[in-house]
Amino acid sequence: MDKNTIIGFILIAAVLIGFSIYNKPSEEEIKAQEELIAKQETEQKKAAEQQKLIEQQQKEKQKTAIEDTTVLFHSAYSGEKQNIILKNKFVELTLSTKGGVVEKAVIKGYKNIEGKKDVTLFDEKDQHLSFKIDGKEQNINTADLFFTPTEQTDSTVTMVAQAGFGKQLSMKYVLGKDYLLHFSMQVDGMENDFSSKTNTLNIEWEQKTRQQEKGFNFENRYATLTYKEKGSGTDYLSETKEILNEKIEKSLDWVAFKNQFFSSLMISKDDFANNSNLSSIPQEKGSGYLKLYKAQLTTFFDPKGNTPTELEFYYGPNDFRLLQSVEKQSKFDKELKMERLVYLGWPLFRIINRWFTLYVFDGLTSLGFNMGIVLILITLLLKAITFPLVKKSYMSSAKMRVLKPKLDEATKQYDKPEDQMMKQQAMMQMYSQYGVSPLSGCMPMLIQMPIWIAMFNFVPNAIQLRGESFLWIKDLSTYDPIFEWGKNIWLIGDHLSLTCILFCAANLAYSWITMRQQRDQMIGQQAEQMKMMQWMMFLMPLMFFFIFNDYSAGLNFYYFVSLFFSAAIMWTLRKTTNDKKLLEILEARYKENKNNPKKMGGLAARLEAMQKQQQEMQRKREELERKKRGL
């Protein structure tokens, strides 16, 4: 490995550090968030008082409506709240006859944050959903109505609210074979109760997303209000900033309230119309919630009752393959791209994860291996694929190492600072004569770097790691503390993660090995420059510790294993390389090329040409300067 390889490592560190800094709120943002929380508490108190007043007014209004039999839905304003349960072996949904919507979703087969059976995605305290229709004389809000359940089974129910003689509003729910819930709303006999301009249904949906994982900060990075624009891709609101009432100008296919591993998703058959209003409000650590999501949406409504308004809801895990299969169950015949809820990185890294990592991961998982073993096997496979490039990089460094004595001897006359250009030119000339390219070690590292970053995106979003133990690690999807102290310390947090320490230690060991190898091939001022780079390389593991201490054990373990095998490969290559034999091969090549010193192509040849061009430009500048001085 050479200087360019080290630059590759520094680029990796810069990308990861930059990514972390980009996603980490500044002190001003933290202060603003604290002020915002205080403001929210005040506003919540006012809102609670206002809501109490509104509820009191609604009760009086409903009381009046009940007494006045001419009022639309007068009989539906009173009743007794009942719970209706729709369930299968994957999910259990609780619908309330008050409002007629799902007010609790339990996902089966997963453990909650306390390690108990099943995950409660939300309950009646966390979610509010209502449908509103503008009437000619009276607006309709389903949240105010009591519905009567009919046609009820374990997977279907129809909710009916009587609006008067021969008039009704009905909502039908059909639970699919796993996590998809189909919904349709239709009115009957109410055409004269709406104006001629009424053709839309207004939806108000908000949910406080629960903290489902141990690491609040880490989970919060992957909790986003995500949406898909019609005929386009997906987008999301900021994970860290408060976003209030952001208008989305384009029509939407779906909106999802997402945390790291589970989502609530609403799909519209006829799209959500332009100017949807979306909000994402971060919640305080320790509150038990990650964010408060709000969505104000508009979709198609037929006041004549001929065509129902149709929606679909997904309450389930963020599993890439599962989301693909659920999309096929949709009745709307739309390209939903629901699998985009599993974030696989920017386009280049998404391609690597989508068409390589996922297939390898699925194949190894299907064989029944423990998830820790799967990560090791993926590492070994990637090392096997990149080994030819790594070996090529190492052999380039080895060639420069064995040529170092000859380079020292050939360039010793160029010790003055002003002779450095000539020294570099002499070195490039010798490299060409011996058939050595000093830049060949750079490309393999650049090829491996996207794999590292791709795994940085893949591992934290792999729900298969959730709750999976390996060796001392209880849960590969979150940090593995060896010490916890319950109080946040700047840069470190409230714990020490063992896999993060191992990763940083392996990084330090690997840096030491590469530094030794690099030192053996440096000459002149390069060796002096290398001392500064050594300090940078040794400081990187320390920087990584502060970044990755809060990250998942699975990601840290993957990096630890990857660096361990990288160090083992470098050590093995060093032990199995015969320097004497390698030098003999280079000497033989030198004899072949001594009559053709230009026999060097590619990037190295271009670099030599550039050096000569720079030298010629420098000579011309000096001549011009002498002419100006009259010399």
Side-chain angles (χ1 to χ4, degrees):
M1 296 176 66
D2 57 13
K3 179 180 178 181
N4 296 289
T5 305
I6 296 172
I7 293 174
F9 273 116
I10 294 172
L11 288 173
I12 295 174
V15 170
L16 295 177
I17 293 169
F19 183 81
S20 176
I21 293 173
Y22 176 77
N23 285 278
K24 184 176 181 180
S26 64
E27 292 183 4
E28 291 79 6
E29 289 175 333
I30 294 173
K31 185 177 179 181
Q33 186 171 344
E34 291 175 350
E35 293 175 353
L36 187 61
I37 291 172
K39 183 180 177 181
Q40 287 175 0
E41 291 177 351
T42 303
E43 290 177 350
Q44 285 174 357
K45 289 180 181 178
K46 291 181 179 179
E49 294 174 357
Q50 186 175 1
Q51 183 64 28
K52 188 176 180 180
L53 179 62
I54 291 172
E55 289 176 355
Q56 186 176 355
Q57 291 174 346
Q58 286 179 340
K59 287 180 180 179
E60 293 176 356
K61 181 180 177 181
Q62 290 172 7
K63 184 178 179 181
T64 303
I66 293 169
E67 294 173 351
D68 185 357
T69 58
T70 63
V71 174
L72 197 65
F73 288 107
H74 73 278
S75 61
Y77 279 114
S78 63
E80 184 177 346
K81 180 180 177 180
Q82 301 176 35
N83 289 331
I84 308 298
I85 295 178
L86 304 181
K87 61 182 180 179
N88 55 32
K89 63 180 182 179
F90 297 103
V91 67
E92 181 177 301
L93 306 176
T94 301
L95 288 77
S96 173
T97 55
K98 175 66 186 299
V101 296
V102 177
E103 65 175 19
K104 183 178 182 180
V106 177
I107 301 173
K108 301 178 181 179
Y110 295 90
K111 292 183 179 180
N112 63 17
I113 192 172
E114 299 172 349
K116 296 180 181 179
K117 183 180 178 182
D118 300 335
V119 169
T120 299
L121 196 58
F122 60 84
D123 61 20
E124 65 276 7
K125 301 188 300 297
D126 308 329
Q127 174 170 277
H128 171 77
L129 173 62
S130 64
F131 303 103
K132 298 181 179 180
I133 313 169
D134 296 333
K136 185 182 294 184
E137 297 180 357
Q138 178 186 341
N139 294 335
I140 302 169
N141 185 348
T142 58
D144 298 334
L145 305 178
F146 285 88
F147 290 79
T148 302
T150 63
E151 304 174 10
Q152 182 179 351
T153 68
D154 282 346
S155 60
T156 62
V157 67
T158 299
M159 299 281 202
V160 178
Q162 296 296 332
F165 182 76
K167 302 178 181 181
Q168 68 177 25
L169 183 152
S170 62
M171 300 190 297
K172 184 175 182 179
Y173 292 91
V174 178
L175 179 61
K177 63 180 183 180
D178 40 41
Y179 302 97
L180 196 65
L181 178 68
H182 187 82
F183 167 89
S184 62
M185 173 187 286
Q186 199 165 7
V187 293
D188 185 20
M190 297 182 63
E191 181 178 356
N192 295 328
D193 295 301
F194 301 104
S195 70
S196 58
K197 296 181 179 180
T198 299
N199 59 5
T200 58
L201 175 70
N202 299 313
I203 304 171
E204 291 189 0
W205 184 28
E206 66 177 63
Q207 185 184 121
K208 291 180 73 174
T209 301
R210 292 188 175 192
Q211 179 183 347
Q212 304 287 1
E213 315 304 325
K214 181 169 64 175
F216 175 86
N217 294 329
F218 188 65
E219 184 182 7
N220 221 356
R221 291 186 182 99
Y222 299 93
T224 59
L225 193 159
T226 306
Y227 55 91
K228 181 188 177 298
E229 296 177 348
K230 182 181 179 181
S232 184
T234 58
D235 204 346
Y236 56 89
L237 302 186
S238 171
E239 310 95 320
T240 56
K241 299 178 182 178
E242 176 177 297
I243 306 296
L244 292 175
N245 302 321
E246 177 159 325
K247 289 190 179 298
I248 310 300
E249 295 181 356
K250 295 184 178 180
S251 299
L252 304 179
D253 285 325
W254 53 258
V255 174
F257 294 167
K258 173 183 176 293
N259 64 9
Q260 185 177 4
F261 291 124
F262 303 97
S263 292
S264 302
L265 186 144
M266 184 189 298
I267 309 165
S268 175
K269 179 180 181 180
D270 299 291
D271 312 326
F272 295 118
N274 302 355
N275 296 320
S276 296
N277 202 317
L278 306 178
S279 301
S280 175
I281 305 170
Q283 301 298 291
E284 190 175 1
K285 185 177 181 179
S287 65
Y289 296 95
L290 301 173
K291 293 180 175 72
L292 170 61
Y293 295 133
K294 295 182 180 181
Q296 294 177 339
L297 310 166
T298 304
T299 191
F300 163 81
F301 173 73
D302 179 11
K304 296 181 180 180
N306 296 325
T307 306
T309 300
E310 294 187 76
L311 303 172
E312 286 176 334
F313 297 88
Y314 174 84
Y315 303 112
N318 300 329
D319 183 314
F320 191 92
R321 299 301 186 195
L322 172 65
L323 289 164
Q324 285 183 317
S325 67
V326 168
E327 180 173 332
K328 294 176 182 178
Q329 300 169 30
S330 173
K331 299 179 181 180
F332 298 162
D333 192 27
K334 301 173 75 172
E335 186 181 5
L336 297 174
K337 298 181 180 179
M338 291 171 60
E339 70 275 6
R340 288 293 185 90
L341 285 172
V342 181
Y343 183 68
L344 297 179
W346 296 338
L348 172 61
F349 313 125
R350 183 167 64 241
I351 291 171
I352 294 172
N353 284 326
R354 173 68 181 85
W355 300 108
F356 174 78
T357 312
L358 266 169
Y359 283 99
V360 174
F361 188 81
D362 291 344
L364 294 174
T365 303
S366 66
L367 297 175
F369 290 120
N370 177 277
M371 288 298 124
I373 300 297
V374 169
L375 291 176
I376 294 174
L377 293 175
I378 289 177
T379 307
L380 289 173
L381 178 60
L382 291 173
K383 292 300 176 187
I385 293 172
T386 59
F387 178 75
L389 298 173
V390 172
K391 185 177 180 180
K392 181 180 179 182
S393 174
Y394 172 81
M395 292 308 297
S396 175
S397 298
K399 290 174 184 178
M400 294 197 305
R401 183 181 69 246
V402 299
L403 287 176
K404 182 177 181 296
K406 292 183 177 293
L407 287 170
D408 286 336
E409 181 65 25
T411 60
K412 64 182 181 181
Q413 68 269 31
Y414 305 117
D415 287 338
K416 297 179 181 179
E418 60 268 23
D419 295 335
Q420 291 306 304
M421 182 69 72
M422 297 179 65
K423 183 175 183 177
Q424 289 292 329
Q425 187 174 346
M427 288 172 58
M428 295 301 293
Q429 184 69 22
M430 284 194 68
Y431 283 141
S432 69
Q433 291 172 337
Y434 280 97
V436 175
S437 173
L439 302 179
S440 61
C442 181
M443 189 57 66
M445 182 52 62
L446 293 178
I447 292 175
Q448 291 185 78
M449 187 170 66
I451 297 175
W452 269 53
I453 300 176
M455 293 300 290
F456 179 84
N457 289 296
F458 178 81
V459 174
N461 289 291
I463 193 172
Q464 291 83 353
L465 300 180
R466 187 179 186 272
E468 290 292 318
S469 61
F470 181 67
L471 300 177
W472 71 89
I473 306 171
K474 294 182 179 179
D475 187 347
L476 285 163
S477 69
T478 188
Y479 60 82
D480 60 321
I482 50 173
F483 294 111
E484 291 184 278
W485 45 84
K487 185 178 180 181
N488 189 64
I489 298 177
W490 183 66
L491 288 179
I492 298 178
D494 57 4
H495 65 275
L496 287 177
S497 174
L498 180 55
T499 50
C500 179
I501 295 172
L502 290 175
F503 159 46
C504 294
N507 197 351
L508 188 64
Y510 184 67
S511 298
W512 180 74
I513 292 173
T514 55
M515 287 301 102
R516 285 193 59 187
Q517 177 180 308
Q518 194 72 25
R519 190 170 59 243
D520 292 341
Q521 66 189 51
M522 291 296 178
I523 62 174
Q525 286 192 348
Q526 288 181 337
E528 294 299 320
Q529 295 172 356
M530 193 64 195
K531 291 180 180 179
M532 179 60 69
M533 297 188 71
Q534 281 179 332
W535 280 106
M536 292 178 64
M537 293 297 291
F538 288 137
L539 284 174
M540 274 174 44
L542 180 61
M543 292 187 292
F544 282 154
F545 170 77
F546 294 118
I547 295 172
F548 285 86
N549 187 49
D550 204 36
Y551 276 60
S552 69
L555 183 63
N556 281 319
F557 180 72
Y558 166 77
Y559 284 149
F560 162 68
V561 173
S562 180
L563 285 167
F564 174 82
F565 283 121
S566 294
I569 290 170
M570 296 300 293
W571 182 85
T572 303
L573 288 173
R574 182 69 179 90
K575 289 296 182 181
T576 55
T577 300
N578 188 324
D579 288 0
K580 183 179 179 180
K581 185 176 180 180
L582 181 60
L583 184 58
E584 290 175 354
I585 294 173
L586 293 174
E587 290 289 0
R589 189 174 297 168
Y590 174 77
K591 291 178 181 179
E592 294 177 5
N593 298 337
K594 64 180 180 180
N595 295 323
N596 186 16
K598 300 295 183 179
K599 191 178 180 181
M600 179 177 65
L603 185 59
R606 290 194 295 271
L607 183 58
E608 183 182 12
M610 289 173 60
Q611 288 175 338
K612 288 184 177 181
Q613 186 179 10
Q614 289 175 353
Q615 188 176 9
E616 180 65 20
M617 291 175 64
Q618 180 64 26
R619 186 185 64 78
K620 289 181 179 180
R621 281 197 296 267
E622 290 175 355
E623 287 181 359
L624 183 61
E625 189 67 27
R626 283 197 297 268
K627 288 180 180 179
K628 287 181 179 179
R629 294 176 182 177
L631 297 177

